Amino acid sequence: NAGVTQTPKFRILKIGQSMTLQCTQDMNHNYMYWYRQDPGMGLKLIYYSVGAGITDKGEVPNGYNVSRSTTEDFPLRLELAAPSQTSVYFCASTNSRGILTDTQYFGPGTRLTVL
Amino acid sequence: TQLLEQSPQFLSIQEGENLTVYCNSSSVFSSLQWYRQEPGEGPVLLVTVVTGGEVKKLKRLTFQFGDARKDSSLHITAAQPGDTGLYLCAGVTQGGSEKLVFGKGTKLTVNP
């Protein structure tokens, strides 16, 4: 199993540009999450999904959109990039019983810079 | 908003020393997790503590969950350079969909 994979690893965007961060997991996990990690800060939850077709906002959803058409994929969309979105983005997944009882697996991250 | 305060933020010690990292909140969590993160990688789960007062040991690492399930500590005995990394605590929220609330992390450097 590859686990959780994210692409791209690095990206530089200009203000106002759009992009999609890709996340795929091959563990058949129902729960998937997107976090951002700013320097010196912990991870903050952007969006999460408890299954295909179901998504919900986390702590910092503004400026982002998600979709979950399959169990495996959970892309994160930035429509109008802003410098405040410069961060490292992590995707994670866990099994259907949730965080309390199952390990949450993180991808390697996407480092995004908006200039 | 539930917050987790971690201390210290930075810790630099010599190989063989002991250390403790603290994670405190005014909120109650269903459980609390500790992660270790290497540069350029995602966090990796070390342990989940669920019951108030619970103590778990993982080789030289000892994790404790406070009786009121609001705080936790990580103690490392005889630290080694391989322990160097960012240690994150994360509380699992109660009720509804389970979500993680992360502390800011403790950056540990163990010098040989």
Side-chain angles (χ1 to χ4, degrees), chain A:
Chain A
N1 285 352
V4 180
T5 57
Q6 291 183 240
T7 57
K9 290 186 72 70
F10 304 94
R11 185 72 185 269
I12 298 175
L13 282 181
K14 294 183 179 178
I15 295 172
Q17 285 186 320
S18 301
M19 79 164 293
T20 299
L21 281 67
Q22 302 291 345
C23 175
T24 300
Q25 54 91 8
D26 61 359
M27 297 173 283
N28 201 33
H29 287 169
N30 284 351
Y31 287 48
M32 295 188 74
Y33 309 83
W34 273 106
Y35 296 90
R36 59 178 288 174
Q37 185 176 32
D38 299 329
M41 304 292 288
L43 281 75
K44 291 188 183 296
L45 182 65
I46 305 172
Y47 269 96
Y48 67 101
S49 170
V50 300
I54 306 170
T55 62
D56 207 348
K57 296 177 181 179
E59 186 182 354
V60 289
N62 291 346
Y64 307 95
N65 277 302
V66 294
S67 59
R68 185 92 182 273
S69 56
T70 66
T71 299
E72 295 78 19
D73 301 305
F74 190 38
L76 177 71
R77 178 84 179 159
L78 282 72
E79 290 294 347
L80 291 170
S84 60
Q85 293 177 304
T86 294
S87 190
V88 181
Y89 291 84
F90 290 100
C91 179
S93 73
T94 191
N95 212 337
S96 57
R97 293 176 64 191
I99 302 170
L100 188 62
T101 49
D102 290 293
T103 299
Q104 185 165 161
Y105 295 90
F106 284 82
T110 293
R111 186 176 293 275
L112 175 67
T113 302
V114 182
L115 301 174

Side-chain angles (χ1 to χ4, degrees), chain B residues 9 13-14 21-22 40 47 71-72 87 89 97 109 111:
Chain B
Q9 190 174 355
I13 61 172
Q14 293 301 121
V21 176
Y22 299 93
V47 76
D71 55 87
S72 181
Y87 289 83
C89 67
S97 296
T109 303
N111 302 299

Side-chain angles (χ1 to χ4, degrees), chain B residues 75-97:
Chain B
H75 182 79
I76 301 179
T77 304
Q80 298 177 0
D83 295 327
T84 294
L86 179 68
Y87 289 83
L88 296 158
C89 67
V92 180
T93 59
Q94 294 192 106
S97 296

Side-chain angles (χ1 to χ4, degrees), chain B residues 61-77:
Chain B
L61 278 61
T62 302
F63 305 85
Q64 187 163 6
F65 200 15
D67 291 339
R69 290 188 289 132
K70 293 182 179 181
D71 55 87
S72 181
S73 64
L74 157 61
H75 182 79
I76 301 179
T77 304

